[in-house]
Amino acid sequence: MSLKRKKIMQEVRRVVVKVGTSLSFDPSKGIDTVNLKRLAAEVAMLRKQGTEVVMVVSGAIGAGMSRLKLAERPRLIKEQQAVAAVGQVTLMDLLSTIFAGKGVTVGQILISRQDLESGPRYFNIRNTLETLLEMGVVPVINENDTVAVDEIKFGDNDRLAALATNLMAADLLVILTDVNGLYTQDPRKSKKARLVGVVPKITRRIETSAGGEGSIAGTGGMVTKLLAARACVKNGEHMVIANGRRKGVLTRVLGGADEGTLFLARAISKERRLRWMPYSEKRLSELVVKEAALTRLRSGQGHLYPADVLKVIGVFGAGEVVRLVDPGLRTWAKGVSRCSSRECSQVKGLANWQVEQKLGHRSHPELVSHDDIVFKSKL
């Protein structure tokens, strides 16, 4: 166990765990309940240790194949979508039962890549996931295979997991699959293949090590995992590829053991992380902010509240990017508004207690969270 790896894992407070189809579905036996129960026990243990866990679970089509007694994966997109519709219900019902047996409640979130490319939907999904974690629930993200086309065809759940990692500002993505990690060559074809323990940088040589497609029920392979790793490290998150059939794999990975392949993240600032988001206003959208609030926010204290706002300019929806301008209309930051321009206009200048009286209960008193503000010097 390297000291660097152990130190990295000691700092992990939130992890996204992606479970591949090859771990949730066995072509000869159907849904692999034994393996899922073991993984559920490990997730429960991590939560007891204080680590927040978000899961991305593949296998809806595999579960649908099992339920419909299909020997081969459907080839037509419409058939894949129909089988996934059956499989999503089957898989989540089973996961809910398995995790309940470990004292864990799970909640399903169905998303596609398009959802993460829309500002309002992006932040609505993030807020829901954050709230589930606050409630002590383990979110289980599934790709919305019943409406996706390219995602089913090209097997994008590894990249979806990387997007979810950034969405949740997680420290680590663990992709569990049926191999021990990234090898120098395909271990199924060459006895000279050696496991790569740590990847400090994804080079052309590393890329050529990947190859091959996924299982009978899945569509992913090492190529999509490298794409996921590239997205993670670019945005400041570490990633591990490990064998999900090895007993205690999650415990060892989070414990800092030399398990699987670790891709080291680049050091980035919060501002760069925010710039990765759908982050440019589509029209004139501005909140004119008091000088006192500007001074407070620049010092890193608190959020932007309704009482801080003098005027609302333009039309925008909740979750869209707005410019934050001073009374002289000079832009000093951008931020993601939690409210529409109409709601902002209704509550501007009001204290939080007055806002509750006017609009009723709101889950977030602020108009813009400090986590969603990037100052002009960083844009």
Side-chain angles (χ1 to χ4, degrees):
M1 180 188 300
S2 69
L3 292 177
K4 183 174 182 180
R5 191 159 182 162
K6 185 174 182 179
K7 185 176 184 299
I8 287 173
M9 296 307 165
Q10 286 176 338
E11 295 175 352
V12 172
R13 296 293 176 267
R14 178 178 293 178
V15 59
V16 174
V17 178
K18 190 265 182 177
V19 179
T21 300
S22 60
L23 303 179
S24 62
F25 177 79
D26 185 320
S28 61
K29 301 178 182 178
I31 297 177
D32 194 337
T33 55
V34 174
N35 201 46
L36 290 176
K37 286 179 180 179
R38 183 175 54 75
L39 291 174
E42 290 196 55
V43 170
M45 181 62 67
L46 289 177
R47 291 180 71 254
K48 288 181 180 179
Q49 295 171 352
T51 303
E52 293 181 326
V53 180
V54 178
M55 301 191 70
V56 177
V57 181
S58 300
I61 291 180
M65 289 171 57
S66 178
R67 187 66 177 265
L68 295 171
K69 296 179 171 42
L70 300 178
E72 296 183 355
R73 178 186 172 88
R75 295 184 179 182
L76 297 178
I77 293 295
K78 65 178 182 180
E79 292 175 345
Q80 293 174 11
Q81 291 171 322
V83 172
V86 174
Q88 283 173 352
V89 176
T90 304
L91 185 60
M92 277 309 301
D93 182 56
L94 180 61
L95 287 173
S96 181
T97 301
I98 288 174
F99 274 85
K102 308 299 179 182
V104 177
T105 300
V106 298
Q108 184 185 38
I109 302 288
L110 291 176
I111 62 177
S112 65
R113 196 165 52 184
Q114 287 84 348
D115 291 324
L116 302 184
E117 293 171 352
S118 164
R121 283 188 288 175
Y122 182 102
F123 291 101
N124 285 339
I125 291 170
R126 189 182 72 175
N127 290 340
T128 300
L129 288 166
E130 291 284 0
T131 303
L132 286 171
L133 289 175
E134 291 171 5
M135 291 178 171
V137 176
V138 171
V140 177
I141 298 175
N142 289 307
E143 187 158 7
N144 198 353
D145 291 335
T146 57
V147 297
V149 177
D150 288 345
E151 288 78 3
I152 289 180
K153 186 176 180 181
F154 298 113
D156 219 67
N157 263 12
D158 292 321
R159 281 180 284 182
L160 178 63
L163 293 173
T165 303
N166 188 266
L167 171 74
M168 296 304 295
D171 306 295
L172 174 70
L173 167 62
V174 179
I175 291 185
L176 297 179
T177 184
D178 55 0
V179 295
N180 294 334
L182 176 70
Y183 283 82
T184 53
Q185 302 176 53
D186 189 336
R188 296 170 296 183
K189 299 177 181 179
S190 174
K191 294 182 179 180
K192 296 181 180 180
R194 295 292 180 269
L195 180 68
V196 180
V198 179
V199 178
K201 183 179 181 180
I202 300 175
T203 62
R204 185 177 296 275
R205 184 176 180 180
I206 291 294
E207 290 175 340
T208 58
S209 300
E213 296 182 354
S215 64
I216 185 174
T219 54
M222 194 56 67
V223 172
T224 61
K225 290 167 180 56
L226 276 186
L227 290 172
R230 186 180 293 279
C232 280
V233 300
K234 180 181 178 181
N235 291 296
E237 301 118 9
H238 303 290
M239 192 185 103
V240 170
I241 299 174
N243 193 331
R245 293 196 175 277
R246 288 169 61 90
K247 187 176 181 180
V249 60
L250 284 177
T251 303
R252 287 196 300 277
V253 168
L254 273 294
D258 296 326
E259 184 78 25
T261 301
L262 169 64
F263 295 82
L264 296 177
R266 299 179 190 173
I268 67 168
S269 64
K270 181 198 78 172
E271 287 78 12
R272 181 172 177 182
R273 181 190 295 270
L274 285 173
R275 283 208 302 274
W276 176 86
M277 297 177 181
Y279 212 74
S280 59
E281 68 278 17
K282 300 176 182 178
R283 59 184 75 85
L284 179 63
S285 307
E286 297 179 340
L287 295 177
V288 183
V289 181
K290 298 176 182 178
E291 289 284 2
L294 168 58
T295 301
R296 187 188 79 242
L297 290 167
R298 275 185 170 157
S299 67
Q301 298 179 24
H303 309 288
L304 180 71
Y305 296 101
D308 300 324
V309 177
L310 295 170
K311 186 178 180 180
V312 180
I313 300 174
V315 178
F316 51 87
E320 292 189 11
V321 176
V322 297
R323 290 181 178 270
L324 304 181
V325 302
D326 63 19
L329 301 186
R330 291 179 292 270
T331 300
W332 54 270
K334 285 185 181 181
V336 180
S337 178
R338 291 186 179 273
C339 298
S340 66
S341 54
R342 182 170 178 270
E343 291 174 320
C344 288
S345 295
Q346 288 179 307
V347 301
K348 64 179 175 64
L350 299 182
N352 289 339
W353 66 270
Q354 293 175 306
V355 172
E356 291 183 5
Q357 284 188 341
K358 192 173 187 69
L359 295 183
H361 174 72
R362 294 174 61 223
S363 57
H364 301 281
E366 68 272 13
L367 292 182
V368 182
S369 167
H370 66 79
D371 291 329
D372 297 332
I373 294 177
V374 178
F375 290 94
K376 185 178 179 180
S377 60
K378 303 292 186 178
L379 294 171

